[in-house]
Amino acid sequence: MSEYKASKGKLSFKGDRDKKKKKKRKAEESIEEEGNQEGWVFAETQEDLIGPLFLIFNSEPLSCLYCSEKDHSIGVQPLPPGKQLTTIEPEDIASVFIGSRIVGSTDRISIKTFDEKYLASDKFGVITAEREAIGPQEEWTPIIKSDGIALQSIYEKYLSVDEIADGGYNLRADVETVGFCETWKIKCQARLRKKVKSTKKETKPISEYEIEQIKKYQTWGGGRVKTSKEEISELKKAKKEGNFAEALLDRREKVKADRYCK
């Protein structure tokens, strides 16, 4: 297998867009704008962990997960001093990994090295990257925390970093709880990060909702519908009991009958 050489310039990946390409149709431009950012940003959701990843350990100086280009071993290496966590980006392919979702799973991923091998942990917590196929030991469950992301193995142990006597770092996955040494700062490419759409529904006052329903289902009588506090309380109670729609229907029928009685 040919050796990879460290790149001193900005890394590029398969699928990167050429800036000179023609513009997309207007219908696609709004979608393009969301993914138009450049550089590396912190992963915030599990969706962000699909694609190129840069796993940083917040040591002093900063360090990162890497795969040796010489013997393809997995470890943690210090990054150049003076680098800031918010702005640092990978400078060589050995520190870039590819996250992929495990088929049939919604919360587990695999992590692949530059030489097409998968990050794995055995039952003793020994970390390797030797296999080209995914098995249970190559599966990881990301645990999203406020201060970073923890990676849990199939044995329910966490990927952890230990500082050893000579100032280096030891990588293992035999820790049962998440602490500082098990928390990673993971970065993904900004252009690939998916923005989570808000699912929060707009809530309207009961009285306003009722008027909207009357407008929709029967002739609007010039805004003459008035709802008292007692009636609002009854509607709220009906909503809690699960018969809100029936209560509104009864009130529409009453309003309609009152119109014809005048």
Side-chain angles (χ1 to χ4, degrees), residues 107-142:
D107 62 348
R108 298 193 306 278
I109 65 172
S110 63
I111 301 174
K112 186 167 61 175
T113 66
F114 72 90
D115 60 347
E116 306 290 322
K117 305 293 177 64
Y118 290 93
L119 185 72
S121 171
D122 66 14
K123 62 182 179 180
F124 302 109
V126 177
I127 303 297
T128 57
E130 301 172 346
R131 299 174 184 170
E132 297 180 354
I134 300 172
Q137 293 187 348
E138 285 72 38
E139 297 183 10
W140 298 90
T141 301

Side-chain angles (χ1 to χ4, degrees), residues 51-239:
L53 303 175
F54 182 35
L55 287 81
I56 309 164
F57 180 60
N58 197 15
S59 54
E60 183 60 47
L62 297 172
S63 53
C64 70
L65 188 70
Y66 84 108
C67 177
S68 171
E69 297 181 56
K70 293 182 179 179
D71 59 9
H72 306 286
S73 62
I74 290 291
V76 176
Q77 70 173 3
L79 292 165
K83 295 287 186 178
Q84 298 297 315
L85 185 61
T86 53
T87 57
I88 193 168
E89 296 188 358
E91 296 182 352
D92 63 84
I93 201 69
S95 57
V96 176
F97 295 78
I98 303 296
S100 300
R101 191 179 305 285
I102 298 296
V103 177
S105 170
T106 58
D107 62 348
R108 298 193 306 278
I109 65 172
S110 63
I111 301 174
K112 186 167 61 175
T113 66
F114 72 90
D115 60 347
E116 306 290 322
K117 305 293 177 64
Y118 290 93
L119 185 72
S121 171
D122 66 14
K123 62 182 179 180
F124 302 109
V126 177
I127 303 297
T128 57
E130 301 172 346
R131 299 174 184 170
E132 297 180 354
I134 300 172
Q137 293 187 348
E138 285 72 38
E139 297 183 10
W140 298 90
T141 301
I143 308 298
I144 310 295
K145 295 167 52 65
S146 60
D147 54 348
I149 299 175
L151 295 170
Q152 187 183 52
S153 73
I154 194 68
Y155 302 104
E156 299 186 352
K157 305 294 177 63
Y158 295 94
L159 186 65
S160 180
V161 178
D162 268 347
E163 187 171 0
I164 53 181
D166 62 356
Y169 299 98
N170 181 42
L171 190 66
R172 59 195 181 100
D174 59 355
V175 181
E176 297 181 351
T177 57
V178 178
F180 175 78
C181 294
E182 292 71 46
T183 304
W184 298 81
K185 300 290 187 178
I186 302 181
K187 285 192 170 185
C188 62
Q189 288 185 299
R191 66 182 183 83
L192 297 178
R193 184 168 67 178
K194 295 182 180 180
K195 293 187 178 181
V196 179
K197 294 182 180 179
S198 175
T199 56
K200 186 178 180 181
K201 294 183 179 180
E202 182 182 356
T203 56
K204 297 180 180 180
I206 293 289
S207 57
E208 184 179 334
Y209 185 82
E210 182 181 24
I211 291 172
E212 185 180 279
Q213 293 296 299
I214 292 173
K215 285 181 180 180
K216 184 176 180 180
Y217 292 109
Q218 65 192 60
T219 303
W220 176 235
R224 292 192 297 270
V225 177
K226 294 183 179 180
T227 309
S228 67
K229 291 182 180 180
E230 292 77 12
E231 290 169 332
I232 290 176
S233 297
E234 290 177 3
L235 288 174
K236 286 182 177 180
K237 182 180 179 181
K239 191 172 184 180

